[in-house]
Amino acid sequence: LDQVKETGENLMEKYSDLQPEIADHLDRLQKQWLALCQASARQGQRLNGLDYANQVRLAANGFDEWIGSIEAAVANADPGKDLITCNRLMAKQTEVENELANRKKRLAELYNQEGDFDEDGDVKNQINDLIGRIDNLEGPCKKRRKQIDASRQQYQFNLNVDDELLWIQEKRILATSEEIGANLSAIRTYNNMHQNLRREIHQHEPVYESIFKTADRLIKANPDLAEDIQSKVDVLESEWISLEDCCLARDKLLARYTKAYKLLFDINEFQAWINDELAILDAHEKPKDETGTLRDIKLLESFINK
């Protein structure tokens, strides 16, 4: 078009008598060009509008069925029967929430899409309705997540208590042992083993205390479960005290026999020393003269002084 206009202008400069006719042709050409551009724009707008409406239709297609299944999933009151099922339910709930967020994001993108595709606002009203139904599930989703999480914490608490009771049972076997050995060296070995047990129990106390803190938190969050939780806490506390009593009894047993073996060890050493000294005395021959007699007297006096 620019080339044609340039050629026409050159011809009008060169042939003045053809100027009106050429100008008329250029004017009509310009009007036709503008008409073509406007028609193209209208057609583009119409196609964009159809594409926009099609996208909205696709987004809304099956929405009722989909949102119905989501509502049913969120309304599910099953709290889970153990820790494994609770984790599965929580994973499913997370999947539902992610699906809601993704669907809402797509609808928001359609709503905010620029263009004069919805002059009367019907399409955007439809999108708003769909977004509104998704927003209505926000509260139920939070409630469902809280329900599953509370159930999961309770089952985790029960598992922790059972593990702790098993640990106490294992340590009680060591604490109630009556093995003392047959001599001072052996009982010192048992003393070292018992002190190691004592240290292990002491280092385990934070685990024990954390269970009580968890119990307090669960009771505050779920007063209906207070009786069940408190009963488990009472059993655990009783078992822990019992373990400590067993350790104290083991302390006294080892202390008593350590003292006895130490005394026996000292007696045996003293007896051995006496036997050695007597053997030295017995080894001497009867003195044959006064000098030998005096020597033996001094030896005897030395033995007595010892």
Side-chain angles (χ1 to χ4, degrees), residues 153 157 160-161 205-221 229-230 233 236:
Q153 288 188 42
F157 170 78
N160 291 343
V161 171
E205 284 182 1
V207 177
Y208 168 76
E209 293 171 355
S210 70
I211 291 178
F212 281 81
K213 292 179 181 178
T214 301
D216 291 339
R217 188 177 69 253
L218 289 176
I219 290 175
K220 290 179 181 179
I229 293 174
Q230 190 59 50
V233 168
L236 178 60

Side-chain angles (χ1 to χ4, degrees), residues 107-203:
L107 290 171
E109 289 173 350
L110 289 174
Y111 185 88
N112 295 322
Q113 188 169 327
E114 296 181 356
D116 299 327
F117 313 134
D118 187 28
E119 296 180 357
D120 54 6
D122 290 341
V123 176
K124 287 198 172 184
N125 287 336
Q126 181 185 9
I127 295 175
N128 262 335
D129 290 340
L130 298 179
I131 292 176
R133 293 186 66 181
I134 292 176
D135 289 339
N136 289 338
L137 287 172
E138 182 177 354
C141 279
K142 289 182 179 179
K143 182 179 179 181
R144 176 60 175 159
R145 174 172 285 274
K146 184 178 179 181
Q147 178 194 37
I148 298 173
D149 188 55
S151 182
R152 182 171 62 175
Q153 288 188 42
Q154 182 187 359
Y155 285 123
Q156 183 65 61
F157 170 78
N158 293 341
L159 179 62
N160 291 343
V161 171
D162 291 341
D163 288 344
E164 191 69 8
L165 290 174
L166 181 61
W167 184 88
I168 291 174
Q169 182 180 354
E170 292 173 352
K171 302 311 169 186
R172 184 186 287 112
I173 294 174
L174 299 176
T176 55
S177 171
E178 295 184 357
E179 293 290 338
I180 55 174
N183 51 51
L184 185 61
S185 175
I187 202 169
R188 283 174 175 170
T189 300
Y190 283 114
N191 266 311
N192 290 334
M193 293 169 61
H194 186 62
Q195 292 308 311
N196 290 337
L197 174 62
R198 279 289 201 177
R199 280 191 292 272
E200 186 178 358
I201 293 173
H202 176 71
Q203 293 170 357

